[in-house]
């Protein structure tokens, strides 16, 4: 793309807009005298439906307005909008400055077009200047303008600035509310997001998607599932964006029955499943240990992509079926699908879980030779884990020392995990110390080292580890498990006595324990 005046946006008159309206035209004139000579931009062309014969008129950006008879705010905004729609954001900003030079007062629709251009350019300073100009002409509280400014601050600035804009917007609409909710969720302010969501005068499927997706993507899976169910109860119809988030949330808590009901919802509301819903269902059934159902979904999909194939490979790996993962990978290659980094990770994971060391090493070496750019730190970490689990500690150490980057905590934890399996206390202590040097507050490394020492019978060392943890005020994160009964997920942690059926649970547990003891006798 030919160089544009707007690449030096600091030279545009917008730097003066927030100071004094009367100075803007003169400043623009001086700017253009210095820069218009360098401006040679090809015509922006759109499809015939959106632009038609008008695209032929565009010979250069600075001449566009001159060629339009009786230019006014409507025609100027339309032209700016066409540039923005074609992702020519800098040109759109430049034309906005020309519009001001021609003393055409921008409307709310003008700002609604040009402010998103500054957001797309990731230029917060420019966006603030546009905000200042909107304030000067009294349009900052208009819902159309306010929503654009809100999106700018949500994506490029602080949530506090975004909140002030939201509060300054008159009668915020569903777009304003949803944008603000997304910003809060992105910063993990869940209570504020939920409160704002509940205050919305009108909620549509997009606002529900924002909540469900926000909770699902940040690990709050139970809340995401509950929101999806509430959405259905309110009579809203989920779309292709809703269901993947809800299905993945159900997968992350292994809620098989609930996920199956979501699958039924997808068939009911969507009919033919697209690749995104299909991929989420494949991952869901795999995570719940039902690879047969996962394969059924795969076989029924009419459209597949690399994510589809990877979901099955990773599913086999997760369920300890390494040989089948490798067979499926070979099937993928026969079908002409080019593997990517996730494919390799799934293969290494499969080899790791089933002890296929040589096979895993072969895949890693092949990728390193044919496509070294594919290899990321997680692939190297997987290899360290594979070598350590196989008891090949010398090779694992050499692999660590030959890394093209400094190993992080994950690498040393992989080594420590292998040491724990094979009771290699000396190397385990070394790995643990390296972890603690990187993160002195890492509790898991203390626990893993303590377990390794316990297996080796070094109880004095175990006592020292536990004493050190106590002195540092470190507490072990309790284990967590859950079970799904009649589509309701019940979550338990170690020593948990908060369940509403606590007495019944412990009565059955004592009965089971007594029966086991009688059987042993």
């Amino acid at each position: 793309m030919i160089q544009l005046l707007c690449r030096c946006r600091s030279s545009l008159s917008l730097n003066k807009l927030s100071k004094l309206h009367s100075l803007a035209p003169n400043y623009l004139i001086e700017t253009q005298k210095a820069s218009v000579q360098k401006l040679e931009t090809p015509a922006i062309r759109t499809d015939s439906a959106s632009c038609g014969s008008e695209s032929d008129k565009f010979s250069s950006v600075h001449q566009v307005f001159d060629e339009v008879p009786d230019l006014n705010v409507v025609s100027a905004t339309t032209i700016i909008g066409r540039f923005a729609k074609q992702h020519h954001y800098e040109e759109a900003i430049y034309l906005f400055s020309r519009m001001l030079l021609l003393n055409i007062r921008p409307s709310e629709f003008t700002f609604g077009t040009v402010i998103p251009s500054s957001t797309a350019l990731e230029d917060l300073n420019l966006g603030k200047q546009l905000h200042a100009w909107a304030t000067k002409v009294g349009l900052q509280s208009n819902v159309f303008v306010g929503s654009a400014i809100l999106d700018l601050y949500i994506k490029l600035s602080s949530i506090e600035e975004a909140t002030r804009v939201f509060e300054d917007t008159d009668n915020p609409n569903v777009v304003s509310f949803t944008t603000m909710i997304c910003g809060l969720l992105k910063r993990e302010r869940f209570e504020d997001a939920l409160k704002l969501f509940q205050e919305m005068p009108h909620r549509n499927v997009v606002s529900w998607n924002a909540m469900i997706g926000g909770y699902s993507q940040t690990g709050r899976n139970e809340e995401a599932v509950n929101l999806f169910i509430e959405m259905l109860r309110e009579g809203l119809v989920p779309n292709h964006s809703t269901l993947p988030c809800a299905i993945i949330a159900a997968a992350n808590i292994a809620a098989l029955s609930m996920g199956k009901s979501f699958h039924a919802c997808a068939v009911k509301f969507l009919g033919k499943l697209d690749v995104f819903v299909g991929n989420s269902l494949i991952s869901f059934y795999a995570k719940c240990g039902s690879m047969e159902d996962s394969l059924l979904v795969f076989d029924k999909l009419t459209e597949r992509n690399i994510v589809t194939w990877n979901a099955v490979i990773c599913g086999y790996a997760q369920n300890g079926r390494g040989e089948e993962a490798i067979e499926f990978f070979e099937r993928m290659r026969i079908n002409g699908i080019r593997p990517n980094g996730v494919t390799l990770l799934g293969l290494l994971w499969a080899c790791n879980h089933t002890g296929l060391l040589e096979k895993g090493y072969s895949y890693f070496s092949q990728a390193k030779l044919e496509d070294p750019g594919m290899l990321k730190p997680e692939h190297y970490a997987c290899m360290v884990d594979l070598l350590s689990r196989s008891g090949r500690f010398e090779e694992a150490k050499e692999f660590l020392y030959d890394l093209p980057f400094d190993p992080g905590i994950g690498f040393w934890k992989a080594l420590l995990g292998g040491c724990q399996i094979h009771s290699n206390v000396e190397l385990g202590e070394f790995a643990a110390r390296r972890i603690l040097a990187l993160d002195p507050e890492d509790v898991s490394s203390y626990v893993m080292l303590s377990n390794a020492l316990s297996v080796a019978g070094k109880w004095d060392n175990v006592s020292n580890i536990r004493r050190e943890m106590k002195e540092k005020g470190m507490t072990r994160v309790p284990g967590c498990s859950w079970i799904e009964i009649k589509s309701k997920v019940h979550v338990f942690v170690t020593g948990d006595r908060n369940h509403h059926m606590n007495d019944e649970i412990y009565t059955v547990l004592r009965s089971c324990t007594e029966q086991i003891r009688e059987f042993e006798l």
Side-chain angles (χ1 to χ4, degrees), residues 138-440:
L139 290 174
Q140 81 284 358
S141 296
N142 177 276
V143 66
F144 196 62
V145 180
S147 295
I149 299 170
L150 178 62
D151 185 59
L152 168 79
Y153 288 129
I154 287 290
K155 291 178 178 176
L156 304 181
S157 187
S158 67
I159 194 67
E160 289 73 24
E161 281 192 286
T163 301
R164 285 193 291 271
V165 171
F166 179 78
E167 292 173 349
D168 191 39
T169 302
D170 294 335
N171 301 315
N173 58 17
V174 67
V175 175
S176 310
F177 273 98
T178 304
T179 303
M180 189 67 207
I181 287 169
C182 288
L184 291 167
L185 290 171
K186 184 179 178 181
R187 292 159 178 82
E188 299 190 2
R189 291 175 55 168
F190 300 105
E191 292 183 5
D192 293 335
L194 183 60
K195 181 181 177 182
L196 190 62
F197 179 71
Q198 292 169 341
E199 291 173 356
M200 288 182 69
H202 303 288
R203 292 181 288 195
N204 61 11
V205 67
V206 178
S207 51
W208 280 97
N209 288 353
M211 287 295 294
I212 295 167
Y215 274 90
S216 175
Q217 291 163 15
T218 50
R220 300 175 75 95
N221 299 294
E222 288 181 72
E223 293 95 327
V225 166
N226 292 334
L227 279 166
F228 179 70
I229 293 170
E230 185 183 345
M231 174 185 172
L232 295 176
R233 286 173 178 165
E234 291 200 7
L236 277 86
V237 177
N239 59 20
H240 291 275
S241 298
T242 320
L243 282 156
C245 294
I247 292 167
I248 291 300
N252 289 336
I253 55 176
L256 182 59
S257 297
M258 190 172 293
K260 283 184 174 181
S261 69
F262 292 175
H263 187 173
C265 284
V267 174
K268 176 182 178 181
F269 293 119
L270 304 179
K272 180 182 176 182
L273 303 183
D274 68 10
V275 67
F276 301 105
V277 177
N279 290 347
S280 64
L281 284 169
I282 291 170
S283 295
F284 161 72
Y285 284 116
K287 285 186 177 182
C288 292
S290 182
M291 281 305 300
E292 288 69 27
D293 288 326
S294 186
L295 287 171
L296 279 174
V297 175
F298 178 88
D299 291 335
K300 288 182 179 180
L301 283 180
T302 56
E303 180 189 356
R304 300 175 187 138
N305 57 20
I306 183 62
V307 178
T308 317
W309 292 87
N310 286 345
V312 177
I313 292 171
C314 292
Y316 275 129
Q318 185 179 13
N319 287 280
R321 297 163 66 170
E323 294 286 358
E324 289 160 289
I326 291 170
E327 289 174 9
F328 201 81
F329 170 67
E330 296 302 330
R331 177 182 166 187
M332 182 184 108
R333 289 209 297 191
I334 291 171
N335 278 268
I337 308 298
R338 182 178 175 83
N340 61 12
V342 177
T343 316
L344 177 60
L345 198 61
L347 286 170
L348 295 177
W349 193 13
C351 295
N352 202 335
H353 280 234
T354 47
L356 301 172
L357 174 61
E358 300 304 328
K359 199 72 175 176
Y361 218 115
S362 172
Y363 283 127
F364 181 86
S365 300
Q366 185 178 358
K368 192 174 183 180
L369 181 65
E370 296 178 358
D371 190 0
M374 180 190 294
L375 298 178
K376 302 290 186 260
E378 51 265 31
H379 298 108
Y380 288 93
C382 206
M383 282 304 301
V384 173
D385 194 28
L386 180 57
L387 290 166
S388 301
R389 284 175 179 268
S390 302
R392 307 266 283 267
F393 294 112
E394 287 303 318
E395 291 175 72
K397 285 171 62 179
E398 289 179 14
F399 197 89
L400 276 168
Y401 291 133
D402 290 339
L403 287 174
F405 49 83
D406 292 331
I409 289 178
F411 290 84
W412 296 108
K413 280 191 174 181
L415 184 62
L416 179 56
C419 292
Q420 183 180 347
I421 293 171
H422 296 280
S423 301
N424 189 328
V425 177
E426 183 179 350
L427 186 58
E429 286 185 296
F430 172 75
R433 297 306 169 192
R434 293 299 296 263
I435 294 169
L436 295 173
L438 293 169
D439 183 6

